[in-house]
Amino acid sequence: MVNILRNIAFATALAAAGLAAPAAADGIMDEPLPRFEDRLCPGIIGLDREYAELMVTRLRENADALGLRLASEEACEANVVIAFVEDSREYLAEMMDQRGYLFNDMTPFQRRQLLESADASGVWHQVAARTRDGIRVGRRENLAQVPTAGMWQAHSRIYRPVRHDITYALVLLDRDEARGLTLRQLADYATLRALATEFPADAGEAEASMLTLFEHAEKPAELTAFDRAWLERLYAGLPNIPASTRMQGVEVAEGD
């Protein structure tokens, strides 16, 4: 199995590239939603090896079912890390305090929003802007020098010249809140939160979703039909499709 399940030095991996805030659909600035394009390598921190291996197996099964590419289990550097910690919010706050440079591309508001959203779990994505062909678009260092990249591209309202790749996902799970949940539930929740940064408005409200795992007494046993439909929609087709197009009507197959 993956040889990094217990002691992953993910701080180095986080520092290796710049952090970009998740893209959001906003009228004219309708950017593509972030998603993984690199091969996935899941790893677990803070769990006994036997259970960690079972979780990794489930994570890989979920990714494979979506048609995502997987790195070799024997030799890969984790880019999807699930860490069991005492307090997710406190952990993120310490990261911001001790490794503030990792959050340079986030506004103060986005940092506060990230901390406020962390409760029984916390999720942080490292996102990089790349051209349609996968060429890295450097990150902005100031207001005067804007990153640019050249390529052949016909004008289109259907596709965007730049895509947003998730290069690293960290899912923090509070140990106390995780007690009593099955490994399948935890792995499926982590799958959903790691692979997507945005969700349709009715996720967890009108539609049953793993997003409610730590909120409702009636907890889904695994990824719901809606969760799978959304992930399939997110990872279908080209990565540079505008968010508004991607978000349109996620259909759940009848009988699911």
mmCIF file of all heavy atoms in Angstrom, residues 34-77:
data_model
loop_
_atom_site.group_PDB
_atom_site.id
_atom_site.type_symbol
_atom_site.label_atom_id
_atom_site.label_comp_id
_atom_site.label_asym_id
_atom_site.label_seq_id
_atom_site.Cartn_x
_atom_site.Cartn_y
_atom_site.Cartn_z
ATOM 1 N N PRO A 34 -12.480 24.796 -10.081
ATOM 2 C CA PRO A 34 -11.259 24.007 -9.878
ATOM 3 C C PRO A 34 -11.558 22.512 -9.836
ATOM 4 O O PRO A 34 -12.586 22.087 -9.307
ATOM 5 C CB PRO A 34 -10.750 24.496 -8.508
ATOM 6 C CG PRO A 34 -11.375 25.836 -8.321
ATOM 7 C CD PRO A 34 -12.723 25.731 -8.960
ATOM 8 N N ARG A 35 -10.627 21.738 -10.384
ATOM 9 C CA ARG A 35 -10.718 20.287 -10.285
ATOM 10 C C ARG A 35 -9.322 19.697 -10.486
ATOM 11 O O ARG A 35 -8.421 20.365 -10.996
ATOM 12 C CB ARG A 35 -11.699 19.715 -11.309
ATOM 13 C CG ARG A 35 -11.232 19.773 -12.749
ATOM 14 C CD ARG A 35 -12.279 19.236 -13.711
ATOM 15 N NE ARG A 35 -11.710 18.872 -14.996
ATOM 16 C CZ ARG A 35 -12.408 18.387 -16.022
ATOM 17 N NH1 ARG A 35 -13.720 18.211 -15.892
ATOM 18 N NH2 ARG A 35 -11.811 18.067 -17.159
ATOM 19 N N PHE A 36 -9.138 18.464 -10.070
ATOM 20 C CA PHE A 36 -7.850 17.789 -10.225
ATOM 21 C C PHE A 36 -7.655 17.376 -11.680
ATOM 22 O O PHE A 36 -8.555 16.824 -12.308
ATOM 23 C CB PHE A 36 -7.783 16.540 -9.343
ATOM 24 C CG PHE A 36 -7.269 16.783 -7.961
ATOM 25 C CD1 PHE A 36 -8.149 16.911 -6.892
ATOM 26 C CD2 PHE A 36 -5.906 16.891 -7.717
ATOM 27 C CE1 PHE A 36 -7.679 17.128 -5.612
ATOM 28 C CE2 PHE A 36 -5.422 17.108 -6.438
ATOM 29 C CZ PHE A 36 -6.306 17.232 -5.378
ATOM 30 N N GLU A 37 -6.454 17.637 -12.195
ATOM 31 C CA GLU A 37 -6.057 17.137 -13.503
ATOM 32 C C GLU A 37 -4.842 16.205 -13.367
ATOM 33 O O GLU A 37 -4.617 15.357 -14.206
ATOM 34 C CB GLU A 37 -5.730 18.291 -14.455
ATOM 35 C CG GLU A 37 -6.928 19.158 -14.804
ATOM 36 C CD GLU A 37 -8.030 18.394 -15.525
ATOM 37 O OE1 GLU A 37 -7.712 17.515 -16.360
ATOM 38 O OE2 GLU A 37 -9.223 18.651 -15.240
ATOM 39 N N ASP A 38 -4.057 16.393 -12.311
ATOM 40 C CA ASP A 38 -2.904 15.523 -12.066
ATOM 41 C C ASP A 38 -3.378 14.170 -11.536
ATOM 42 O O ASP A 38 -4.508 14.032 -11.052
ATOM 43 C CB ASP A 38 -1.960 16.160 -11.042
ATOM 44 C CG ASP A 38 -1.372 17.465 -11.539
ATOM 45 O OD1 ASP A 38 -1.229 17.611 -12.774
ATOM 46 O OD2 ASP A 38 -1.074 18.330 -10.696
ATOM 47 N N ARG A 39 -2.495 13.194 -11.592
ATOM 48 C CA ARG A 39 -2.807 11.882 -11.020
ATOM 49 C C ARG A 39 -2.980 12.010 -9.506
ATOM 50 O O ARG A 39 -2.207 12.700 -8.845
ATOM 51 C CB ARG A 39 -1.699 10.879 -11.339
ATOM 52 C CG ARG A 39 -1.606 10.525 -12.826
ATOM 53 C CD ARG A 39 -0.553 9.476 -13.079
ATOM 54 N NE ARG A 39 -0.441 9.185 -14.500
ATOM 55 C CZ ARG A 39 -1.207 8.306 -15.150
ATOM 56 N NH1 ARG A 39 -2.111 7.617 -14.466
ATOM 57 N NH2 ARG A 39 -1.060 8.092 -16.443
ATOM 58 N N LEU A 40 -3.959 11.333 -8.965
ATOM 59 C CA LEU A 40 -4.259 11.429 -7.536
ATOM 60 C C LEU A 40 -3.431 10.441 -6.726
ATOM 61 O O LEU A 40 -3.230 9.292 -7.120
ATOM 62 C CB LEU A 40 -5.737 11.151 -7.283
ATOM 63 C CG LEU A 40 -6.750 12.134 -7.867
ATOM 64 C CD1 LEU A 40 -8.148 11.737 -7.450
ATOM 65 C CD2 LEU A 40 -6.444 13.548 -7.437
ATOM 66 N N CYS A 41 -2.976 10.923 -5.565
ATOM 67 C CA CYS A 41 -2.258 10.070 -4.623
ATOM 68 C C CYS A 41 -2.784 10.395 -3.225
ATOM 69 O O CYS A 41 -2.349 11.359 -2.595
ATOM 70 C CB CYS A 41 -0.754 10.320 -4.705
ATOM 71 S SG CYS A 41 0.200 9.335 -3.506
ATOM 72 N N PRO A 42 -3.778 9.643 -2.725
ATOM 73 C CA PRO A 42 -4.329 9.908 -1.393
ATOM 74 C C PRO A 42 -3.440 9.376 -0.277
ATOM 75 O O PRO A 42 -2.776 8.351 -0.431
ATOM 76 C CB PRO A 42 -5.680 9.181 -1.411
ATOM 77 C CG PRO A 42 -5.675 8.294 -2.605
ATOM 78 C CD PRO A 42 -4.458 8.570 -3.426
ATOM 79 N N GLY A 43 -3.431 10.078 0.854
ATOM 80 C CA GLY A 43 -2.690 9.646 2.031
ATOM 81 C C GLY A 43 -3.427 10.050 3.295
ATOM 82 O O GLY A 43 -4.252 10.966 3.276
ATOM 83 N N ILE A 44 -3.159 9.357 4.374
ATOM 84 C CA ILE A 44 -3.846 9.581 5.648
ATOM 85 C C ILE A 44 -2.829 9.912 6.736
ATOM 86 O O ILE A 44 -1.760 9.313 6.797
ATOM 87 C CB ILE A 44 -4.641 8.332 6.090
ATOM 88 C CG1 ILE A 44 -5.523 7.808 4.951
ATOM 89 C CG2 ILE A 44 -5.476 8.629 7.331
ATOM 90 C CD1 ILE A 44 -6.649 8.704 4.537
ATOM 91 N N ILE A 45 -3.179 10.862 7.607
ATOM 92 C CA ILE A 45 -2.359 11.199 8.769
ATOM 93 C C ILE A 45 -3.213 11.025 10.031
ATOM 94 O O ILE A 45 -4.394 11.379 10.046
ATOM 95 C CB ILE A 45 -1.865 12.654 8.705
ATOM 96 C CG1 ILE A 45 -0.877 12.838 7.556
ATOM 97 C CG2 ILE A 45 -1.202 13.084 10.017
ATOM 98 C CD1 ILE A 45 -0.451 14.285 7.374
ATOM 99 N N GLY A 46 -2.622 10.459 11.068
ATOM 100 C CA GLY A 46 -3.284 10.400 12.368
ATOM 101 C C GLY A 46 -4.236 9.235 12.559
ATOM 102 O O GLY A 46 -5.129 9.296 13.413
ATOM 103 N N LEU A 47 -4.057 8.161 11.775
ATOM 104 C CA LEU A 47 -4.914 6.984 11.894
ATOM 105 C C LEU A 47 -4.037 5.740 11.846
ATOM 106 O O LEU A 47 -3.034 5.715 11.140
ATOM 107 C CB LEU A 47 -5.929 6.977 10.742
ATOM 108 C CG LEU A 47 -7.164 6.080 10.875
ATOM 109 C CD1 LEU A 47 -8.018 6.520 12.061
ATOM 110 C CD2 LEU A 47 -7.990 6.132 9.593
ATOM 111 N N ASP A 48 -4.422 4.713 12.604
ATOM 112 C CA ASP A 48 -3.659 3.463 12.575
ATOM 113 C C ASP A 48 -3.530 2.963 11.145
ATOM 114 O O ASP A 48 -4.472 3.068 10.344
ATOM 115 C CB ASP A 48 -4.344 2.398 13.431
ATOM 116 C CG ASP A 48 -4.220 2.695 14.917
ATOM 117 O OD1 ASP A 48 -3.359 3.511 15.277
ATOM 118 O OD2 ASP A 48 -5.004 2.125 15.697
ATOM 119 N N ARG A 49 -2.387 2.387 10.835
ATOM 120 C CA ARG A 49 -2.087 1.991 9.462
ATOM 121 C C ARG A 49 -3.169 1.096 8.842
ATOM 122 O O ARG A 49 -3.563 1.292 7.690
ATOM 123 C CB ARG A 49 -0.724 1.279 9.411
ATOM 124 C CG ARG A 49 -0.279 0.942 7.992
ATOM 125 C CD ARG A 49 1.043 0.209 7.961
ATOM 126 N NE ARG A 49 1.456 -0.003 6.580
ATOM 127 C CZ ARG A 49 2.154 0.859 5.855
ATOM 128 N NH1 ARG A 49 2.507 2.017 6.372
ATOM 129 N NH2 ARG A 49 2.478 0.584 4.600
ATOM 130 N N GLU A 50 -3.661 0.135 9.597
ATOM 131 C CA GLU A 50 -4.665 -0.791 9.065
ATOM 132 C C GLU A 50 -5.898 -0.044 8.567
ATOM 133 O O GLU A 50 -6.406 -0.299 7.472
ATOM 134 C CB GLU A 50 -5.058 -1.799 10.147
ATOM 135 C CG GLU A 50 -6.159 -2.759 9.713
ATOM 136 C CD GLU A 50 -6.624 -3.658 10.839
ATOM 137 O OE1 GLU A 50 -6.069 -3.555 11.966
ATOM 138 O OE2 GLU A 50 -7.544 -4.466 10.605
ATOM 139 N N TYR A 51 -6.371 0.905 9.387
ATOM 140 C CA TYR A 51 -7.562 1.663 9.017
ATOM 141 C C TYR A 51 -7.245 2.684 7.922
ATOM 142 O O TYR A 51 -8.080 2.947 7.042
ATOM 143 C CB TYR A 51 -8.135 2.360 10.248
ATOM 144 C CG TYR A 51 -8.510 1.399 11.351
ATOM 145 C CD1 TYR A 51 -7.973 1.531 12.625
ATOM 146 C CD2 TYR A 51 -9.388 0.342 11.105
ATOM 147 C CE1 TYR A 51 -8.306 0.630 13.632
ATOM 148 C CE2 TYR A 51 -9.728 -0.553 12.109
ATOM 149 C CZ TYR A 51 -9.184 -0.402 13.370
ATOM 150 O OH TYR A 51 -9.514 -1.296 14.356
ATOM 151 N N ALA A 52 -6.046 3.241 7.977
ATOM 152 C CA ALA A 52 -5.640 4.200 6.963
ATOM 153 C C ALA A 52 -5.612 3.546 5.584
ATOM 154 O O ALA A 52 -6.046 4.134 4.588
ATOM 155 C CB ALA A 52 -4.264 4.775 7.306
ATOM 156 N N GLU A 53 -5.105 2.318 5.529
ATOM 157 C CA GLU A 53 -5.043 1.612 4.250
ATOM 158 C C GLU A 53 -6.440 1.349 3.700
ATOM 159 O O GLU A 53 -6.675 1.456 2.492
ATOM 160 C CB GLU A 53 -4.271 0.303 4.417
ATOM 161 C CG GLU A 53 -2.785 0.508 4.629
ATOM 162 C CD GLU A 53 -2.041 -0.811 4.800
ATOM 163 O OE1 GLU A 53 -2.719 -1.834 5.050
ATOM 164 O OE2 GLU A 53 -0.808 -0.811 4.666
ATOM 165 N N LEU A 54 -7.390 1.034 4.581
ATOM 166 C CA LEU A 54 -8.763 0.813 4.140
ATOM 167 C C LEU A 54 -9.372 2.099 3.597
ATOM 168 O O LEU A 54 -10.085 2.090 2.583
ATOM 169 C CB LEU A 54 -9.603 0.278 5.306
ATOM 170 C CG LEU A 54 -9.282 -1.151 5.774
ATOM 171 C CD1 LEU A 54 -10.055 -1.488 7.043
ATOM 172 C CD2 LEU A 54 -9.603 -2.158 4.673
ATOM 173 N N MET A 55 -9.083 3.218 4.248
ATOM 174 C CA MET A 55 -9.595 4.502 3.770
ATOM 175 C C MET A 55 -8.988 4.865 2.423
ATOM 176 O O MET A 55 -9.679 5.349 1.516
ATOM 177 C CB MET A 55 -9.321 5.611 4.791
ATOM 178 C CG MET A 55 -10.327 5.693 5.915
ATOM 179 S SD MET A 55 -10.183 7.252 6.858
ATOM 180 C CE MET A 55 -10.753 8.446 5.634
ATOM 181 N N VAL A 56 -7.686 4.649 2.285
ATOM 182 C CA VAL A 56 -7.019 4.953 1.020
ATOM 183 C C VAL A 56 -7.604 4.098 -0.107
ATOM 184 O O VAL A 56 -7.833 4.588 -1.225
ATOM 185 C CB VAL A 56 -5.495 4.721 1.134
ATOM 186 C CG1 VAL A 56 -4.841 4.705 -0.237
ATOM 187 C CG2 VAL A 56 -4.869 5.814 1.989
ATOM 188 N N THR A 57 -7.862 2.841 0.182
ATOM 189 C CA THR A 57 -8.460 1.959 -0.820
ATOM 190 C C THR A 57 -9.811 2.499 -1.282
ATOM 191 O O THR A 57 -10.116 2.533 -2.476
ATOM 192 C CB THR A 57 -8.643 0.534 -0.263
ATOM 193 O OG1 THR A 57 -7.361 -0.013 0.043
ATOM 194 C CG2 THR A 57 -9.349 -0.362 -1.264
ATOM 195 N N ARG A 58 -10.627 2.942 -0.335
ATOM 196 C CA ARG A 58 -11.947 3.493 -0.676
ATOM 197 C C ARG A 58 -11.803 4.791 -1.478
ATOM 198 O O ARG A 58 -12.535 5.004 -2.457
ATOM 199 C CB ARG A 58 -12.751 3.744 0.597
ATOM 200 C CG ARG A 58 -14.118 4.373 0.376
ATOM 201 C CD ARG A 58 -15.048 3.489 -0.431
ATOM 202 N NE ARG A 58 -16.362 4.113 -0.577
ATOM 203 C CZ ARG A 58 -17.358 3.589 -1.284
ATOM 204 N NH1 ARG A 58 -17.190 2.433 -1.917
ATOM 205 N NH2 ARG A 58 -18.516 4.205 -1.371
ATOM 206 N N LEU A 59 -10.881 5.652 -1.093
ATOM 207 C CA LEU A 59 -10.659 6.896 -1.828
ATOM 208 C C LEU A 59 -10.257 6.615 -3.274
ATOM 209 O O LEU A 59 -10.744 7.261 -4.213
ATOM 210 C CB LEU A 59 -9.577 7.723 -1.133
ATOM 211 C CG LEU A 59 -9.987 8.418 0.166
ATOM 212 C CD1 LEU A 59 -8.748 8.764 0.992
ATOM 213 C CD2 LEU A 59 -10.776 9.682 -0.140
ATOM 214 N N ARG A 60 -9.390 5.652 -3.454
ATOM 215 C CA ARG A 60 -8.946 5.299 -4.793
ATOM 216 C C ARG A 60 -10.084 4.680 -5.607
ATOM 217 O O ARG A 60 -10.217 4.922 -6.811
ATOM 218 C CB ARG A 60 -7.737 4.357 -4.723
ATOM 219 C CG ARG A 60 -6.490 5.001 -4.109
ATOM 220 C CD ARG A 60 -5.322 4.023 -4.036
ATOM 221 N NE ARG A 60 -4.803 3.734 -5.361
ATOM 222 C CZ ARG A 60 -3.821 4.425 -5.958
ATOM 223 N NH1 ARG A 60 -3.258 5.458 -5.342
ATOM 224 N NH2 ARG A 60 -3.399 4.086 -7.162
ATOM 225 N N GLU A 61 -10.920 3.883 -4.961
ATOM 226 C CA GLU A 61 -12.070 3.302 -5.656
ATOM 227 C C GLU A 61 -13.017 4.397 -6.137
ATOM 228 O O GLU A 61 -13.533 4.338 -7.260
ATOM 229 C CB GLU A 61 -12.818 2.337 -4.719
ATOM 230 C CG GLU A 61 -12.082 1.037 -4.453
ATOM 231 C CD GLU A 61 -12.805 0.176 -3.427
ATOM 232 O OE1 GLU A 61 -13.767 0.690 -2.801
ATOM 233 O OE2 GLU A 61 -12.404 -0.983 -3.244
ATOM 234 N N ASN A 62 -13.258 5.386 -5.288
ATOM 235 C CA ASN A 62 -14.142 6.493 -5.669
ATOM 236 C C ASN A 62 -13.577 7.265 -6.853
ATOM 237 O O ASN A 62 -14.302 7.607 -7.795
ATOM 238 C CB ASN A 62 -14.339 7.444 -4.481
ATOM 239 C CG ASN A 62 -15.225 6.858 -3.402
ATOM 240 O OD1 ASN A 62 -16.033 5.967 -3.659
ATOM 241 N ND2 ASN A 62 -15.084 7.348 -2.185
ATOM 242 N N ALA A 63 -12.277 7.547 -6.798
ATOM 243 C CA ALA A 63 -11.646 8.292 -7.884
ATOM 244 C C ALA A 63 -11.674 7.498 -9.181
ATOM 245 O O ALA A 63 -11.943 8.044 -10.264
ATOM 246 C CB ALA A 63 -10.204 8.643 -7.509
ATOM 247 N N ASP A 64 -11.417 6.200 -9.084
ATOM 248 C CA ASP A 64 -11.411 5.347 -10.268
ATOM 249 C C ASP A 64 -12.801 5.282 -10.891
ATOM 250 O O ASP A 64 -12.946 5.276 -12.121
ATOM 251 C CB ASP A 64 -10.925 3.954 -9.889
ATOM 252 C CG ASP A 64 -10.781 3.035 -11.095
ATOM 253 O OD1 ASP A 64 -9.992 3.370 -12.006
ATOM 254 O OD2 ASP A 64 -11.463 2.004 -11.142
ATOM 255 N N ALA A 65 -13.834 5.245 -10.055
ATOM 256 C CA ALA A 65 -15.211 5.201 -10.556
ATOM 257 C C ALA A 65 -15.566 6.463 -11.328
ATOM 258 O O ALA A 65 -16.414 6.437 -12.223
ATOM 259 C CB ALA A 65 -16.183 4.999 -9.392
ATOM 260 N N LEU A 66 -14.905 7.569 -10.999
ATOM 261 C CA LEU A 66 -15.141 8.835 -11.697
ATOM 262 C C LEU A 66 -14.286 8.967 -12.951
ATOM 263 O O LEU A 66 -14.407 9.936 -13.692
ATOM 264 C CB LEU A 66 -14.843 10.019 -10.760
ATOM 265 C CG LEU A 66 -15.803 10.218 -9.594
ATOM 266 C CD1 LEU A 66 -15.212 11.215 -8.595
ATOM 267 C CD2 LEU A 66 -17.161 10.686 -10.101
ATOM 268 N N GLY A 67 -13.405 7.983 -13.157
ATOM 269 C CA GLY A 67 -12.538 8.035 -14.318
ATOM 270 C C GLY A 67 -11.309 8.900 -14.122
ATOM 271 O O GLY A 67 -10.641 9.260 -15.097
ATOM 272 N N LEU A 68 -10.973 9.220 -12.870
ATOM 273 C CA LEU A 68 -9.799 10.047 -12.599
ATOM 274 C C LEU A 68 -8.541 9.194 -12.634
ATOM 275 O O LEU A 68 -8.564 8.000 -12.302
ATOM 276 C CB LEU A 68 -9.930 10.733 -11.238
ATOM 277 C CG LEU A 68 -11.184 11.587 -11.035
ATOM 278 C CD1 LEU A 68 -11.107 12.326 -9.722
ATOM 279 C CD2 LEU A 68 -11.377 12.555 -12.185
ATOM 280 N N ARG A 69 -7.447 9.818 -12.996
ATOM 281 C CA ARG A 69 -6.176 9.098 -13.073
ATOM 282 C C ARG A 69 -5.574 8.953 -11.682
ATOM 283 O O ARG A 69 -5.632 9.881 -10.874
ATOM 284 C CB ARG A 69 -5.212 9.830 -13.990
ATOM 285 C CG ARG A 69 -5.688 9.923 -15.434
ATOM 286 C CD ARG A 69 -4.642 10.587 -16.295
ATOM 287 N NE ARG A 69 -4.281 11.906 -15.792
ATOM 288 C CZ ARG A 69 -3.144 12.531 -16.067
ATOM 289 N NH1 ARG A 69 -2.236 11.949 -16.833
ATOM 290 N NH2 ARG A 69 -2.894 13.741 -15.586
ATOM 291 N N LEU A 70 -4.991 7.806 -11.415
ATOM 292 C CA LEU A 70 -4.400 7.513 -10.118
ATOM 293 C C LEU A 70 -2.909 7.261 -10.253
ATOM 294 O O LEU A 70 -2.465 6.615 -11.206
ATOM 295 C CB LEU A 70 -5.063 6.297 -9.484
ATOM 296 C CG LEU A 70 -6.516 6.481 -9.034
ATOM 297 C CD1 LEU A 70 -7.180 5.128 -8.823
ATOM 298 C CD2 LEU A 70 -6.585 7.307 -7.771
ATOM 299 N N ALA A 71 -2.151 7.789 -9.295
ATOM 300 C CA ALA A 71 -0.713 7.526 -9.261
ATOM 301 C C ALA A 71 -0.476 6.134 -8.681
ATOM 302 O O ALA A 71 -1.345 5.548 -8.028
ATOM 303 C CB ALA A 71 -0.007 8.579 -8.412
ATOM 304 N N SER A 72 0.710 5.598 -8.908
ATOM 305 C CA SER A 72 1.057 4.288 -8.384
ATOM 306 C C SER A 72 0.999 4.295 -6.860
ATOM 307 O O SER A 72 1.423 5.249 -6.212
ATOM 308 C CB SER A 72 2.469 3.906 -8.838
ATOM 309 O OG SER A 72 2.934 2.777 -8.127
ATOM 310 N N GLU A 73 0.453 3.245 -6.282
ATOM 311 C CA GLU A 73 0.352 3.152 -4.823
ATOM 312 C C GLU A 73 1.713 3.014 -4.166
ATOM 313 O O GLU A 73 1.918 3.458 -3.037
ATOM 314 C CB GLU A 73 -0.509 1.955 -4.428
ATOM 315 C CG GLU A 73 -1.974 2.097 -4.760
ATOM 316 C CD GLU A 73 -2.783 0.943 -4.205
ATOM 317 O OE1 GLU A 73 -3.083 0.961 -2.996
ATOM 318 O OE2 GLU A 73 -3.097 0.019 -4.971
ATOM 319 N N GLU A 74 2.655 2.383 -4.846
ATOM 320 C CA GLU A 74 3.949 2.085 -4.232
ATOM 321 C C GLU A 74 4.837 3.316 -4.102
ATOM 322 O O GLU A 74 5.609 3.438 -3.151
ATOM 323 C CB GLU A 74 4.682 1.015 -5.052
ATOM 324 C CG GLU A 74 4.107 -0.392 -4.919
ATOM 325 C CD GLU A 74 2.759 -0.529 -5.591
ATOM 326 O OE1 GLU A 74 2.534 0.188 -6.606
ATOM 327 O OE2 GLU A 74 1.938 -1.332 -5.125
ATOM 328 N N ALA A 75 4.767 4.217 -5.039
ATOM 329 C CA ALA A 75 5.682 5.365 -5.021
ATOM 330 C C ALA A 75 4.981 6.604 -5.558
ATOM 331 O O ALA A 75 5.013 6.890 -6.748
ATOM 332 C CB ALA A 75 6.925 5.057 -5.855
ATOM 333 N N CYS A 76 4.323 7.324 -4.681
ATOM 334 C CA CYS A 76 3.707 8.584 -5.089
ATOM 335 C C CYS A 76 3.715 9.549 -3.911
ATOM 336 O O CYS A 76 3.734 9.141 -2.754
ATOM 337 C CB CYS A 76 2.289 8.379 -5.608
ATOM 338 S SG CYS A 76 1.063 7.845 -4.385
ATOM 339 N N GLU A 77 3.727 10.814 -4.225
ATOM 340 C CA GLU A 77 3.712 11.860 -3.197
ATOM 341 C C GLU A 77 2.282 12.331 -3.024
ATOM 342 O O GLU A 77 1.636 12.753 -3.982
ATOM 343 C CB GLU A 77 4.612 13.020 -3.623
ATOM 344 C CG GLU A 77 4.725 14.106 -2.563
ATOM 345 C CD GLU A 77 5.707 15.184 -2.969
ATOM 346 O OE1 GLU A 77 6.421 14.981 -3.972
ATOM 347 O OE2 GLU A 77 5.751 16.224 -2.295
#
